């Protein structure tokens, strides 16, 4: 039996009100629905998606918070956030709509190394 490919979605460039933010979540949910092991890493501006109270009315979409909260129900449970990106923005882990493990640069390097596919959005 062939080992499963593990995918890592790196959410780094999209603010929470962009259409691309929703597309990244849709990609994660779709992959998980087909049994693809998916992990997610939020870094740079991508950490802003984790904040509660995000408005997406500017792009005529529902807020992404409900989609984020659905990730563990679909089997996307390996959720990480870049500690440096949080510190740059004065954010604290634990105040997000999703429980993510804060990781430093060496842990991020290990994540990248242990995943077969890395998609940056």
């Amino acid at each position: 039996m062939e080992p499963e490919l593990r995918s890592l979605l790196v959410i780094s460039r999209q603010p929470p009100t962009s259409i691309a933010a929703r597309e990244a979540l849709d990609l994660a949910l779709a992959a998980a629905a087909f049994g693809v092991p998916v992990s997610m890493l939020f870094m740079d501006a991508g950490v802003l998606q984790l904040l509660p109270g995000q408005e997406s009315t500017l792009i005529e979409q529902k807020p992404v918070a409900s989609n984020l909260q659905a990730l563990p129900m679909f089997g996307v449970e390996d959720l990480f956030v870049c500690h440096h990106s949080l510190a740059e923005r004065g954010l604290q882990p634990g105040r997000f709509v999703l429980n993510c493990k804060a990781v430093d640069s060496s842990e991020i390097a290990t994540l990248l190394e242990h995943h077969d596919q890395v998609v940056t959005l």
Side-chain angles (χ1 to χ4, degrees):
M1 180 177 222
E2 210 173 296
E4 288 184 303
L5 293 177
R6 292 194 44 81
S7 297
L8 176 66
L9 294 180
V10 180
I11 312 299
S12 64
R13 297 185 203 143
Q14 305 304 327
T17 56
S18 76
I19 292 172
R22 179 160 308 284
E23 290 172 348
L25 289 173
D26 289 346
L27 177 61
L29 293 170
F34 284 100
V36 176
V38 178
S39 301
M40 294 181 75
L41 169 62
F42 295 86
M43 60 187 305
D44 300 329
V47 300
L48 300 175
Q49 291 185 34
L50 299 170
L51 295 174
Q54 299 297 319
E55 292 295 326
S56 55
T57 54
L58 295 174
I59 57 169
E60 299 177 0
Q61 297 282 323
K62 293 180 184 175
V64 297
S66 59
N67 290 76
L68 283 171
Q69 293 168 338
L71 288 170
M73 290 184 283
F74 280 83
V76 182
E77 297 174 348
D78 293 332
L79 304 166
F80 305 94
V81 62
C82 174
H83 180 60
H84 179 73
S85 296
L86 294 177
E88 280 185 329
R89 289 159 182 81
L91 302 174
Q92 298 291 321
R95 295 188 172 200
F96 301 132
V97 296
L98 195 59
N99 188 19
C100 296
K101 179 185 178 201
V103 291
D104 62 23
S105 57
S106 66
E107 291 170 305
I108 291 171
T110 301
L111 279 174
L112 295 171
E113 188 177 298
H114 285 86
H115 285 82
D116 304 297
Q117 300 171 332
V118 177
V119 178
T120 303
L121 303 165

